Amino acid sequence: YLYGRTPIAVNSNYYVLDSKERPTLHQVQRAAGICHHFLRFKDLVESEQLEPMTIRGMIPLCMRQYERMFGTTRIPGRECDQLK
């Protein structure tokens, strides 16, 4: 994953793409909408109001990975990137 040299959002992180419905074709407005929804999700994570994901509606999954979602970045390297 950290050795890949293709664009991240399109080729390996499809969760960052906006919805199938595009309310606007204006890039700035689309970016603002994505930021708005990311921040709403971040608030749910930090306030622990996000409902846990479950397997078959019964077994809750560990939600610990969300703690790193907004505090981690990928630092580009020449041949391999780093996570910090």
Side-chain angles (χ1 to χ4, degrees):
Y1 173 78
L2 296 175
Y3 285 96
R5 294 290 158 248
T6 57
I8 300 300
V10 175
N11 294 305
S12 67
N13 194 353
Y14 55 90
Y15 292 107
V16 175
L17 299 177
D18 55 357
S19 67
K20 293 178 184 176
E21 295 179 33
R22 289 189 181 152
T24 179
L25 294 176
H26 299 284
Q27 186 175 9
V28 172
Q29 291 174 346
R30 287 177 61 196
I34 290 170
C35 289
H36 169 77
H37 290 290
F38 274 159
L39 291 174
R40 284 183 55 200
F41 186 79
K42 182 178 187 285
D43 286 342
L44 289 174
V45 170
E46 289 180 349
S47 65
E48 298 182 1
Q49 294 179 3
L50 184 65
E51 291 291 324
M53 294 174 57
T54 59
I55 297 174
R56 297 185 182 170
M58 297 173 28
I59 303 168
L61 297 174
C62 177
M63 303 292 280
R64 184 102 194 228
Q65 72 247 12
Y66 289 119
E67 293 177 5
R68 295 188 189 103
M69 182 180 245
F70 296 98
T72 305
T73 189
R74 183 174 175 162
I75 309 295
R78 185 172 297 260
E79 294 181 22
C80 180
D81 298 343
Q82 296 178 0
L83 295 179
K84 292 198 177 190

